[in-house]
Structure formats: structure tokens, C-alpha cells
Amino acid sequence: MNNIGDHKSQQSIGHALKMKVIHIPCLEDNYSYLVIDEKTKQGAVVDPVEPEKVIGVAKENGVEVKLVLTTHHHWDHAGGNEKIKELVPGIKVYGGSIDNVKGCTNKVENGDKLTLGADINILSLHTPCHTKGHISYYLTGKEEDDPAVFTGDTLFVAGCGKFFEGTAEQMHESLCVTLASLPKPTRVYCGHEYTVKNLQFAQTVEPENAKISQKLTWAQQQRQSGLPTIPSTIGEELEINPFMRADLPEVQEKVGCKSPVEALRKIRELKDNWKG
């Protein structure tokens, strides 16, 4: 499957890229991320729930951390913000303007733009539903870099977050409009390692989808080897993620629905009750 090759090629050319992403496993199954502008060695950290660990990784890589990108207010994403402000005096902590993010110094709205170092541009995308003010951060570097999007708990590999503070309409807009319209090679870095379970559930929705089966086999091998299943890509999510595929008539038919939003609501309901 292409995906496995893609991961290898990304790793082998990693040193040539101007925008480097290091995943940092935290808590039980969370991911924080360190994004490095290779030219200036300036960094941004995404959801640094274990700040000491994240700053340790930055030091190992000779990186000066300049900013925090918080996807949403839940403690396992925003809970390290106050501490990281103590560890890095003057650090800017970004979070959604209506999300009440702990330790936030700079509120962002949909469409707000930030920069990191010499080459990295950051676009804030409002992706509500899991929380009202959830922000996904879309990062672009130089042309040879594939873009990256940090989706917190809105989009997971083959899944999406629970509808805690929003509606199926909002999740449809967030997943199938906002995120689905990003370039297909965009690397997806999500907030949790839920991939194996998500793919097992996806198989119950589309049992004959070969891409889901292939990705599941790969993901199980990765986890058995103690390796992560991130990143995926937007292009891949459109092939394996039942929530992003709710726009397809054949997926709607599978769950007995006639519209994308209805199908998305139904798939979330099925997932919430799934005992897999």
C-alpha cells in the first residue's frame, strides 16, 4: 500500500525538509507535537500537555520554542499551558477565541494567520463540534514540504471526535468542507492514537472497502512495533474515514440515510454505541 512507502520516504527525506514535525506521545494515548523551522531552529508546540517532556525534546533538537498552538480547551490538550509559560517566559499561547483555553495569551479566529521562523505559515481553521471553539492549525513551509494540519480531536485517523459541544451539521462542515478542501497530500497530525479501533469500526460501516482493511493491517503492525500511526493524509482520510465519506451516496445507503449530515450523525451514533 502506498501509505507505507510514503512514511518511509517522509522519514528518509526528513532532513531535507524546512518544516520538521516530531510527535511526542503524552499521557495514555495523546500526541503533542514539536514543529521546527529548520532554518532558524525556532519551534511551535501543539497541545503540550506534558510541558517538561515537550521542552526536553526541543532542547535535544536545539530548538527555541516560541509558541503554543492549542487545539481546544480539554485538559488533556490545554492542561500544560500554564506550566509551559513558567518554563518558557514570554511564550505566546494561542487558542480559539470562544474556547476558553487555559493559559491562552493570544486568541485566534477562523482565518487568522501566524508565522514561525523564516519559512512556516500557520492558518487557524475553526473546526467546531467537539468543542465550540476548536481550532485546527494548517501549516505550510517551502514548496518541497507537504503541508501539515494539526486537527486535535476534530479529525482522527479514520475517525472524529465526539460531538460534545456541537451538532452533526457543524462536524460535517468541519470535516467534509473545511478539512476535506485542504490539499490531498496534507499530513494529518491528530490528538490521539485511536487508529486501530477507528479502522475496526470503519470496517463495520464499509466491510468491502479494501483501503480500510489494508490500513488496519498496517496500523496493527505499527502498534505491535511500538510505532505511531500518524501522520495520515487528507487524501487518505477521504478513502478510509467513514465520517469524511458521509458525503458519498453508497456510504449513506449503508447506514440507511439520505443526506450527508444525517449519515454523519448516524455513524457517530453507531460509533458511540459500538463495543468493538
Side-chain angles (χ1 to χ4, degrees), residues 84-106:
I84 206 166
K85 282 159 76 172
E86 288 171 28
L87 297 172
V88 186
I91 193 168
K92 289 181 173 168
V93 178
Y94 292 89
S97 63
I98 57 169
D99 214 45
N100 198 20
V101 166
K102 205 171 186 183
C104 183
T105 63
N106 294 68

mmCIF file with all atom_site columns, all heavy atoms in Angstrom, residues 84-106:
data_model
loop_
_atom_site.group_PDB
_atom_site.id
_atom_site.type_symbol
_atom_site.label_atom_id
_atom_site.label_alt_id
_atom_site.label_comp_id
_atom_site.label_asym_id
_atom_site.label_entity_id
_atom_site.label_seq_id
_atom_site.pdbx_PDB_ins_code
_atom_site.Cartn_x
_atom_site.Cartn_y
_atom_site.Cartn_z
_atom_site.occupancy
_atom_site.B_iso_or_equiv
_atom_site.pdbx_formal_charge
_atom_site.auth_seq_id
_atom_site.auth_comp_id
_atom_site.auth_asym_id
_atom_site.auth_atom_id
_atom_site.pdbx_PDB_model_num
ATOM 1   N N   . ILE A 1 84  ? 3.957   25.550 30.929 1.00 0.00 ? 84  ILE A N   1
ATOM 2   C CA  . ILE A 1 84  ? 4.935   25.864 29.873 1.00 0.00 ? 84  ILE A CA  1
ATOM 3   C C   . ILE A 1 84  ? 5.251   27.361 29.879 1.00 0.00 ? 84  ILE A C   1
ATOM 4   O O   . ILE A 1 84  ? 6.367   27.774 29.537 1.00 0.00 ? 84  ILE A O   1
ATOM 5   C CB  . ILE A 1 84  ? 4.470   25.367 28.477 1.00 0.00 ? 84  ILE A CB  1
ATOM 6   C CG1 . ILE A 1 84  ? 5.696   25.105 27.582 1.00 0.00 ? 84  ILE A CG1 1
ATOM 7   C CG2 . ILE A 1 84  ? 3.494   26.318 27.807 1.00 0.00 ? 84  ILE A CG2 1
ATOM 8   C CD1 . ILE A 1 84  ? 5.407   24.310 26.331 1.00 0.00 ? 84  ILE A CD1 1
ATOM 9   N N   . LYS A 1 85  ? 4.297   28.187 30.324 1.00 0.00 ? 85  LYS A N   1
ATOM 10  C CA  . LYS A 1 85  ? 4.566   29.626 30.447 1.00 0.00 ? 85  LYS A CA  1
ATOM 11  C C   . LYS A 1 85  ? 5.605   29.895 31.539 1.00 0.00 ? 85  LYS A C   1
ATOM 12  O O   . LYS A 1 85  ? 6.395   30.825 31.439 1.00 0.00 ? 85  LYS A O   1
ATOM 13  C CB  . LYS A 1 85  ? 3.267   30.380 30.747 1.00 0.00 ? 85  LYS A CB  1
ATOM 14  C CG  . LYS A 1 85  ? 2.399   30.567 29.501 1.00 0.00 ? 85  LYS A CG  1
ATOM 15  C CD  . LYS A 1 85  ? 0.946   30.838 29.829 1.00 0.00 ? 85  LYS A CD  1
ATOM 16  C CE  . LYS A 1 85  ? 0.674   32.224 30.316 1.00 0.00 ? 85  LYS A CE  1
ATOM 17  N NZ  . LYS A 1 85  ? -0.793  32.462 30.437 1.00 0.00 ? 85  LYS A NZ  1
ATOM 18  N N   . GLU A 1 86  ? 5.606   29.056 32.573 1.00 0.00 ? 86  GLU A N   1
ATOM 19  C CA  . GLU A 1 86  ? 6.641   29.183 33.617 1.00 0.00 ? 86  GLU A CA  1
ATOM 20  C C   . GLU A 1 86  ? 7.995   28.725 33.078 1.00 0.00 ? 86  GLU A C   1
ATOM 21  O O   . GLU A 1 86  ? 9.031   29.329 33.357 1.00 0.00 ? 86  GLU A O   1
ATOM 22  C CB  . GLU A 1 86  ? 6.287   28.303 34.827 1.00 0.00 ? 86  GLU A CB  1
ATOM 23  C CG  . GLU A 1 86  ? 5.127   28.801 35.667 1.00 0.00 ? 86  GLU A CG  1
ATOM 24  C CD  . GLU A 1 86  ? 4.719   27.752 36.712 1.00 0.00 ? 86  GLU A CD  1
ATOM 25  O OE1 . GLU A 1 86  ? 5.585   26.948 37.143 1.00 0.00 ? 86  GLU A OE1 1
ATOM 26  O OE2 . GLU A 1 86  ? 3.530   27.739 37.089 1.00 0.00 ? 86  GLU A OE2 1
ATOM 27  N N   . LEU A 1 87  ? 7.983   27.643 32.294 1.00 0.00 ? 87  LEU A N   1
ATOM 28  C CA  . LEU A 1 87  ? 9.239   27.074 31.777 1.00 0.00 ? 87  LEU A CA  1
ATOM 29  C C   . LEU A 1 87  ? 9.850   27.939 30.681 1.00 0.00 ? 87  LEU A C   1
ATOM 30  O O   . LEU A 1 87  ? 11.066  27.976 30.514 1.00 0.00 ? 87  LEU A O   1
ATOM 31  C CB  . LEU A 1 87  ? 8.997   25.660 31.224 1.00 0.00 ? 87  LEU A CB  1
ATOM 32  C CG  . LEU A 1 87  ? 8.530   24.598 32.225 1.00 0.00 ? 87  LEU A CG  1
ATOM 33  C CD1 . LEU A 1 87  ? 8.158   23.313 31.499 1.00 0.00 ? 87  LEU A CD1 1
ATOM 34  C CD2 . LEU A 1 87  ? 9.619   24.305 33.260 1.00 0.00 ? 87  LEU A CD2 1
ATOM 35  N N   . VAL A 1 88  ? 8.995   28.603 29.904 1.00 0.00 ? 88  VAL A N   1
ATOM 36  C CA  . VAL A 1 88  ? 9.466   29.435 28.782 1.00 0.00 ? 88  VAL A CA  1
ATOM 37  C C   . VAL A 1 88  ? 8.860   30.830 28.929 1.00 0.00 ? 88  VAL A C   1
ATOM 38  O O   . VAL A 1 88  ? 7.815   31.138 28.333 1.00 0.00 ? 88  VAL A O   1
ATOM 39  C CB  . VAL A 1 88  ? 9.070   28.823 27.416 1.00 0.00 ? 88  VAL A CB  1
ATOM 40  C CG1 . VAL A 1 88  ? 9.697   29.605 26.259 1.00 0.00 ? 88  VAL A CG1 1
ATOM 41  C CG2 . VAL A 1 88  ? 9.446   27.351 27.331 1.00 0.00 ? 88  VAL A CG2 1
ATOM 42  N N   . PRO A 1 89  ? 9.477   31.697 29.725 1.00 0.00 ? 89  PRO A N   1
ATOM 43  C CA  . PRO A 1 89  ? 8.909   33.035 29.943 1.00 0.00 ? 89  PRO A CA  1
ATOM 44  C C   . PRO A 1 89  ? 8.714   33.770 28.615 1.00 0.00 ? 89  PRO A C   1
ATOM 45  O O   . PRO A 1 89  ? 9.569   33.716 27.731 1.00 0.00 ? 89  PRO A O   1
ATOM 46  C CB  . PRO A 1 89  ? 9.968   33.729 30.809 1.00 0.00 ? 89  PRO A CB  1
ATOM 47  C CG  . PRO A 1 89  ? 10.716  32.607 31.473 1.00 0.00 ? 89  PRO A CG  1
ATOM 48  C CD  . PRO A 1 89  ? 10.725  31.483 30.478 1.00 0.00 ? 89  PRO A CD  1
ATOM 49  N N   . GLY A 1 90  ? 7.546   34.394 28.492 1.00 0.00 ? 90  GLY A N   1
ATOM 50  C CA  . GLY A 1 90  ? 7.279   35.176 27.278 1.00 0.00 ? 90  GLY A CA  1
ATOM 51  C C   . GLY A 1 90  ? 6.700   34.386 26.127 1.00 0.00 ? 90  GLY A C   1
ATOM 52  O O   . GLY A 1 90  ? 6.412   34.947 25.067 1.00 0.00 ? 90  GLY A O   1
ATOM 53  N N   . ILE A 1 91  ? 6.522   33.070 26.305 1.00 0.00 ? 91  ILE A N   1
ATOM 54  C CA  . ILE A 1 91  ? 5.974   32.254 25.207 1.00 0.00 ? 91  ILE A CA  1
ATOM 55  C C   . ILE A 1 91  ? 4.543   32.692 24.903 1.00 0.00 ? 91  ILE A C   1
ATOM 56  O O   . ILE A 1 91  ? 3.793   33.070 25.808 1.00 0.00 ? 91  ILE A O   1
ATOM 57  C CB  . ILE A 1 91  ? 6.040   30.751 25.559 1.00 0.00 ? 91  ILE A CB  1
ATOM 58  C CG1 . ILE A 1 91  ? 5.780   29.895 24.310 1.00 0.00 ? 91  ILE A CG1 1
ATOM 59  C CG2 . ILE A 1 91  ? 5.064   30.389 26.680 1.00 0.00 ? 91  ILE A CG2 1
ATOM 60  C CD1 . ILE A 1 91  ? 6.102   28.415 24.506 1.00 0.00 ? 91  ILE A CD1 1
ATOM 61  N N   . LYS A 1 92  ? 4.176   32.669 23.619 1.00 0.00 ? 92  LYS A N   1
ATOM 62  C CA  . LYS A 1 92  ? 2.805   33.009 23.230 1.00 0.00 ? 92  LYS A CA  1
ATOM 63  C C   . LYS A 1 92  ? 1.982   31.719 23.177 1.00 0.00 ? 92  LYS A C   1
ATOM 64  O O   . LYS A 1 92  ? 2.432   30.729 22.593 1.00 0.00 ? 92  LYS A O   1
ATOM 65  C CB  . LYS A 1 92  ? 2.788   33.679 21.859 1.00 0.00 ? 92  LYS A CB  1
ATOM 66  C CG  . LYS A 1 92  ? 3.353   35.081 21.896 1.00 0.00 ? 92  LYS A CG  1
ATOM 67  C CD  . LYS A 1 92  ? 3.305   35.733 20.530 1.00 0.00 ? 92  LYS A CD  1
ATOM 68  C CE  . LYS A 1 92  ? 3.715   37.198 20.628 1.00 0.00 ? 92  LYS A CE  1
ATOM 69  N NZ  . LYS A 1 92  ? 3.941   37.779 19.307 1.00 0.00 ? 92  LYS A NZ  1
ATOM 70  N N   . VAL A 1 93  ? 0.798   31.775 23.773 1.00 0.00 ? 93  VAL A N   1
ATOM 71  C CA  . VAL A 1 93  ? -0.084  30.606 23.794 1.00 0.00 ? 93  VAL A CA  1
ATOM 72  C C   . VAL A 1 93  ? -1.360  30.952 23.027 1.00 0.00 ? 93  VAL A C   1
ATOM 73  O O   . VAL A 1 93  ? -2.137  31.817 23.441 1.00 0.00 ? 93  VAL A O   1
ATOM 74  C CB  . VAL A 1 93  ? -0.437  30.202 25.247 1.00 0.00 ? 93  VAL A CB  1
ATOM 75  C CG1 . VAL A 1 93  ? -1.402  29.016 25.251 1.00 0.00 ? 93  VAL A CG1 1
ATOM 76  C CG2 . VAL A 1 93  ? 0.829   29.857 26.029 1.00 0.00 ? 93  VAL A CG2 1
ATOM 77  N N   . TYR A 1 94  ? -1.531  30.293 21.883 1.00 0.00 ? 94  TYR A N   1
ATOM 78  C CA  . TYR A 1 94  ? -2.687  30.555 21.031 1.00 0.00 ? 94  TYR A CA  1
ATOM 79  C C   . TYR A 1 94  ? -3.795  29.551 21.303 1.00 0.00 ? 94  TYR A C   1
ATOM 80  O O   . TYR A 1 94  ? -3.540  28.383 21.576 1.00 0.00 ? 94  TYR A O   1
ATOM 81  C CB  . TYR A 1 94  ? -2.273  30.481 19.552 1.00 0.00 ? 94  TYR A CB  1
ATOM 82  C CG  . TYR A 1 94  ? -1.349  31.591 19.138 1.00 0.00 ? 94  TYR A CG  1
ATOM 83  C CD1 . TYR A 1 94  ? 0.039   31.458 19.258 1.00 0.00 ? 94  TYR A CD1 1
ATOM 84  C CD2 . TYR A 1 94  ? -1.850  32.794 18.647 1.00 0.00 ? 94  TYR A CD2 1
ATOM 85  C CE1 . TYR A 1 94  ? 0.896   32.489 18.901 1.00 0.00 ? 94  TYR A CE1 1
ATOM 86  C CE2 . TYR A 1 94  ? -0.996  33.831 18.283 1.00 0.00 ? 94  TYR A CE2 1
ATOM 87  C CZ  . TYR A 1 94  ? 0.370   33.666 18.416 1.00 0.00 ? 94  TYR A CZ  1
ATOM 88  O OH  . TYR A 1 94  ? 1.214   34.688 18.065 1.00 0.00 ? 94  TYR A OH  1
ATOM 89  N N   . GLY A 1 95  ? -5.053  30.033 21.198 1.00 0.00 ? 95  GLY A N   1
ATOM 90  C CA  . GLY A 1 95  ? -6.212  29.160 21.362 1.00 0.00 ? 95  GLY A CA  1
ATOM 91  C C   . GLY A 1 95  ? -7.436  29.824 20.760 1.00 0.00 ? 95  GLY A C   1
ATOM 92  O O   . GLY A 1 95  ? -7.449  31.041 20.525 1.00 0.00 ? 95  GLY A O   1
ATOM 93  N N   . GLY A 1 96  ? -8.462  29.035 20.516 1.00 0.00 ? 96  GLY A N   1
ATOM 94  C CA  . GLY A 1 96  ? -9.686  29.552 19.895 1.00 0.00 ? 96  GLY A CA  1
ATOM 95  C C   . GLY A 1 96  ? -10.340 30.642 20.732 1.00 0.00 ? 96  GLY A C   1
ATOM 96  O O   . GLY A 1 96  ? -10.435 30.528 21.952 1.00 0.00 ? 96  GLY A O   1
ATOM 97  N N   . SER A 1 97  ? -10.815 31.688 20.061 1.00 0.00 ? 97  SER A N   1
ATOM 98  C CA  . SER A 1 97  ? -11.335 32.870 20.764 1.00 0.00 ? 97  SER A CA  1
ATOM 99  C C   . SER A 1 97  ? -12.559 32.557 21.613 1.00 0.00 ? 97  SER A C   1
ATOM 100 O O   . SER A 1 97  ? -12.809 33.231 22.610 1.00 0.00 ? 97  SER A O   1
ATOM 101 C CB  . SER A 1 97  ? -11.673 33.972 19.763 1.00 0.00 ? 97  SER A CB  1
ATOM 102 O OG  . SER A 1 97  ? -12.703 33.536 18.904 1.00 0.00 ? 97  SER A OG  1
ATOM 103 N N   . ILE A 1 98  ? -13.328 31.527 21.236 1.00 0.00 ? 98  ILE A N   1
ATOM 104 C CA  . ILE A 1 98  ? -14.527 31.221 22.035 1.00 0.00 ? 98  ILE A CA  1
ATOM 105 C C   . ILE A 1 98  ? -14.374 29.892 22.773 1.00 0.00 ? 98  ILE A C   1
ATOM 106 O O   . ILE A 1 98  ? -15.348 29.289 23.187 1.00 0.00 ? 98  ILE A O   1
ATOM 107 C CB  . ILE A 1 98  ? -15.817 31.217 21.167 1.00 0.00 ? 98  ILE A CB  1
ATOM 108 C CG1 . ILE A 1 98  ? -15.705 30.217 20.008 1.00 0.00 ? 98  ILE A CG1 1
ATOM 109 C CG2 . ILE A 1 98  ? -16.135 32.614 20.661 1.00 0.00 ? 98  ILE A CG2 1
ATOM 110 C CD1 . ILE A 1 98  ? -17.016 29.966 19.279 1.00 0.00 ? 98  ILE A CD1 1
ATOM 111 N N   . ASP A 1 99  ? -13.137 29.457 22.968 1.00 0.00 ? 99  ASP A N   1
ATOM 112 C CA  . ASP A 1 99  ? -12.954 28.119 23.543 1.00 0.00 ? 99  ASP A CA  1
ATOM 113 C C   . ASP A 1 99  ? -12.465 28.128 24.985 1.00 0.00 ? 99  ASP A C   1
ATOM 114 O O   . ASP A 1 99  ? -12.281 27.066 25.564 1.00 0.00 ? 99  ASP A O   1
ATOM 115 C CB  . ASP A 1 99  ? -11.994 27.293 22.677 1.00 0.00 ? 99  ASP A CB  1
ATOM 116 C CG  . ASP A 1 99  ? -12.375 25.819 22.666 1.00 0.00 ? 99  ASP A CG  1
ATOM 117 O OD1 . ASP A 1 99  ? -13.573 25.536 22.520 1.00 0.00 ? 99  ASP A OD1 1
ATOM 118 O OD2 . ASP A 1 99  ? -11.489 24.968 22.811 1.00 0.00 ? 99  ASP A OD2 1
ATOM 119 N N   . ASN A 1 100 ? -12.235 29.299 25.567 1.00 0.00 ? 100 ASN A N   1
ATOM 120 C CA  . ASN A 1 100 ? -11.857 29.368 26.982 1.00 0.00 ? 100 ASN A CA  1
ATOM 121 C C   . ASN A 1 100 ? -10.651 28.473 27.288 1.00 0.00 ? 100 ASN A C   1
ATOM 122 O O   . ASN A 1 100 ? -10.682 27.642 28.206 1.00 0.00 ? 100 ASN A O   1
ATOM 123 C CB  . ASN A 1 100 ? -13.069 28.964 27.837 1.00 0.00 ? 100 ASN A CB  1
ATOM 124 C CG  . ASN A 1 100 ? -12.905 29.413 29.284 1.00 0.00 ? 100 ASN A CG  1
ATOM 125 O OD1 . ASN A 1 100 ? -12.110 30.309 29.567 1.00 0.00 ? 100 ASN A OD1 1
ATOM 126 N ND2 . ASN A 1 100 ? -13.618 28.788 30.192 1.00 0.00 ? 100 ASN A ND2 1
ATOM 127 N N   . VAL A 1 101 ? -9.590  28.638 26.511 1.00 0.00 ? 101 VAL A N   1
ATOM 128 C CA  . VAL A 1 101 ? -8.386  27.817 26.642 1.00 0.00 ? 101 VAL A CA  1
ATOM 129 C C   . VAL A 1 101 ? -7.541  28.302 27.820 1.00 0.00 ? 101 VAL A C   1
ATOM 130 O O   . VAL A 1 101 ? -7.209  29.483 27.910 1.00 0.00 ? 101 VAL A O   1
ATOM 131 C CB  . VAL A 1 101 ? -7.565  27.864 25.327 1.00 0.00 ? 101 VAL A CB  1
ATOM 132 C CG1 . VAL A 1 101 ? -6.158  27.312 25.528 1.00 0.00 ? 101 VAL A CG1 1
ATOM 133 C CG2 . VAL A 1 101 ? -8.290  27.099 24.232 1.00 0.00 ? 101 VAL A CG2 1
ATOM 134 N N   . LYS A 1 102 ? -7.194  27.370 28.679 1.00 0.00 ? 102 LYS A N   1
ATOM 135 C CA  . LYS A 1 102 ? -6.387  27.695 29.856 1.00 0.00 ? 102 LYS A CA  1
ATOM 136 C C   . LYS A 1 102 ? -5.025  28.269 29.424 1.00 0.00 ? 102 LYS A C   1
ATOM 137 O O   . LYS A 1 102 ? -4.368  27.730 28.546 1.00 0.00 ? 102 LYS A O   1
ATOM 138 C CB  . LYS A 1 102 ? -6.164  26.408 30.646 1.00 0.00 ? 102 LYS A CB  1
ATOM 139 C CG  . LYS A 1 102 ? -5.896  26.654 32.099 1.00 0.00 ? 102 LYS A CG  1
ATOM 140 C CD  . LYS A 1 102 ? -5.907  25.365 32.886 1.00 0.00 ? 102 LYS A CD  1
ATOM 141 C CE  . LYS A 1 102 ? -5.782  25.739 34.347 1.00 0.00 ? 102 LYS A CE  1
ATOM 142 N NZ  . LYS A 1 102 ? -5.716  24.615 35.224 1.00 0.00 ? 102 LYS A NZ  1
ATOM 143 N N   . GLY A 1 103 ? -4.629  29.377 30.070 1.00 0.00 ? 103 GLY A N   1
ATOM 144 C CA  . GLY A 1 103 ? -3.300  29.933 29.810 1.00 0.00 ? 103 GLY A CA  1
ATOM 145 C C   . GLY A 1 103 ? -3.159  30.667 28.498 1.00 0.00 ? 103 GLY A C   1
ATOM 146 O O   . GLY A 1 103 ? -2.060  31.069 28.113 1.00 0.00 ? 103 GLY A O   1
ATOM 147 N N   . CYS A 1 104 ? -4.263  30.844 27.780 1.00 0.00 ? 104 CYS A N   1
ATOM 148 C CA  . CYS A 1 104 ? -4.205  31.475 26.451 1.00 0.00 ? 104 CYS A CA  1
ATOM 149 C C   . CYS A 1 104 ? -3.765  32.947 26.568 1.00 0.00 ? 104 CYS A C   1
ATOM 150 O O   . CYS A 1 104 ? -4.287  33.699 27.379 1.00 0.00 ? 104 CYS A O   1
ATOM 151 C CB  . CYS A 1 104 ? -5.582  31.393 25.800 1.00 0.00 ? 104 CYS A CB  1
ATOM 152 S SG  . CYS A 1 104 ? -5.634  32.054 24.131 1.00 0.00 ? 104 CYS A SG  1
ATOM 153 N N   . THR A 1 105 ? -2.782  33.336 25.748 1.00 0.00 ? 105 THR A N   1
ATOM 154 C CA  . THR A 1 105 ? -2.349  34.741 25.711 1.00 0.00 ? 105 THR A CA  1
ATOM 155 C C   . THR A 1 105 ? -2.821  35.428 24.430 1.00 0.00 ? 105 THR A C   1
ATOM 156 O O   . THR A 1 105 ? -2.931  36.647 24.374 1.00 0.00 ? 105 THR A O   1
ATOM 157 C CB  . THR A 1 105 ? -0.804  34.857 25.767 1.00 0.00 ? 105 THR A CB  1
ATOM 158 O OG1 . THR A 1 105 ? -0.251  34.227 24.601 1.00 0.00 ? 105 THR A OG1 1
ATOM 159 C CG2 . THR A 1 105 ? -0.236  34.208 27.017 1.00 0.00 ? 105 THR A CG2 1
ATOM 160 N N   . ASN A 1 106 ? -3.070  34.638 23.377 1.00 0.00 ? 106 ASN A N   1
ATOM 161 C CA  . ASN A 1 106 ? -3.442  35.200 22.072 1.00 0.00 ? 106 ASN A CA  1
ATOM 162 C C   . ASN A 1 106 ? -4.601  34.395 21.498 1.00 0.00 ? 106 ASN A C   1
ATOM 163 O O   . ASN A 1 106 ? -4.425  33.221 21.139 1.00 0.00 ? 106 ASN A O   1
ATOM 164 C CB  . ASN A 1 106 ? -2.258  35.137 21.101 1.00 0.00 ? 106 ASN A CB  1
ATOM 165 C CG  . ASN A 1 106 ? -1.114  36.029 21.517 1.00 0.00 ? 106 ASN A CG  1
ATOM 166 O OD1 . ASN A 1 106 ? -0.446  35.785 22.523 1.00 0.00 ? 106 ASN A OD1 1
ATOM 167 N ND2 . ASN A 1 106 ? -0.869  37.079 20.755 1.00 0.00 ? 106 ASN A ND2 1
#
